[in-house]
Each structure stands twice: as C-alpha cells, then as structure tokens.
Amino acid sequence: MNQRQLTLLLVDDDSMIVESLGPLLERSGFHVITASTGEEALTKVQAHRPDVIVMDVLMPRMNGREALRRMRKSNIWIPTILLTQVGEASERAVALEEGADDYLNKPFHSQELLARIHAVLRRARPSGQSLFSAHRIASLDLLLDRQSRRAFLADEALNLTPKAFAVLEYLMTHPDEAVSREHLLHSVWGWEYPTGTRTVDTRVNELRRALKDDAGAPRFIQTLTGEGYIFIAPVKPES
C-alpha cells in the first residue's frame, strides 16, 4: 500500500524563498501549497488542512505570529515551524507563546529545515497541543513548568541555573532527537554568544547532578559520543 503524500503549507511573502524552497520540498516527497500572507494562510488551512506548516513571521498585514495565534485559538494544532530573522535564544520563548512547534532562524540551510519538518511530524500528536507549545511538560517523575521557569523531580523543586533550565527545556521538547553541542549552543546561548561547546557540557553535567541521572545508565539524558545529547525518556504535555 502506498503511503499517503503529506501536504505542506509554505507561507512567505518573499517569492524567491517560495520559488527555491517549494521545488525542494516537492522533491522531498511533500505536496506543497503556498501562501504569501497570514490571511491567505488561514484560508489555505481551512481549505486543505495541511499536515505541516512552514511560515515566515515578518509578513505585511497579518504576520505569521498573528496567523498562528488565530489557528491555535480555533483549536487547530497543525504542526507549525516559524521562520524568524532574529538569532536570539529569546525567540524560542516568543515562539512558545504563539503556539509554534519549532522555529528556525533565517538564513538557514535547506537540509536543516527538512530535518526540523520531519522532527515536528514525528512529535505531532493526533490532536491537541504539541510538546513545544505546552506550558508544562512531564517525563517520568520530572515536571517542567515553562511559564514559571521551574523544574520539579518527584515533586521537589530543582535549583537550576537559567541556562541549565533552557538546555533541559530544549532537550525535553525534542525527545528522541540527537542534538549536537553546537546546536544547543546556538539555540540556548544565541548565535553571537562568545563561548565554546564545553559550556554546554558544563550545563548538562549540572542537569545530571540535579536529576540524579547516571551518565553510564541514564534515565533522562544520554550522551552520543561525537554527536551530542539525546533525551531518551518519554515526554508528554501536562495539563
């Protein structure tokens, strides 16, 4: 039996981006439909119910964030990746508030976009809120409250530095994904932060101590030699 072709809605007012990404996404197996404004995106969502959305933030009239807010208020939880032009870790918090499943800073490599698309599709729930847009997520006896920026293990509050919390948040919202040190550095500290990947290892070690997680037999965070880290425990949104 042939697998159903997935429909992807690509939303960007830059025709050059649409003309370059559209064919690449088609060659990658997606049926691609396009829109150039937030209003048009909402119309296409209602008409086609795509499986995944890639949407630029900065567009005239209705921007990508407003379009996403309207979808989420209408209880439409189609996995959505926002394309932004600000390479700062704070973008992740803003994207969370809008209900995005992931975000990608422009300029980006097309293969990274494809990897993000497949990742959000793997994480997608049949219906309801995604991990990335949930305010509270849980794994075994670990609870992460993303609004208060607090973590609890077996109902006891953990004393984490802000950066360690951000690393844990990123890993938990991307479970079962190999995340390189470089990617964690860029996502948590920002593209221009003058530090090296050893800083990431330091924060992961802090997390392991707080979580009582044995690196040799981990419950939560596994080291992938030469690659980075992966959150191996199951994660779910928590009401």
Side-chain angles (χ1 to χ4, degrees), residues 75-117:
N75 207 31
I76 297 172
W77 296 99
I78 297 169
T80 301
I81 298 172
L82 290 181
L83 304 179
T84 75
Q85 292 181 324
V86 182
E88 297 179 357
S90 60
E91 273 298 298
R92 183 168 15 87
V94 175
L96 162 66
E97 292 301 320
E98 310 307 337
D101 294 87
D102 210 340
Y103 78 101
L104 192 58
N105 294 320
K106 290 182 175 181
F108 54 84
H109 194 283
S110 58
Q111 292 304 313
E112 182 176 6
L113 175 60
L114 281 170
R116 298 292 186 92
I117 291 169

Side-chain angles (χ1 to χ4, degrees), residues 24 39 129 132:
L24 180 141
E39 294 96 329
Q129 197 168 32
F132 196 82

Side-chain angles (χ1 to χ4, degrees), residues 161-174:
T161 61
K163 284 294 186 285
F165 182 94
V167 170
L168 180 60
E169 177 186 34
Y170 192 92
L171 291 173
M172 287 184 70
T173 52
H174 297 77

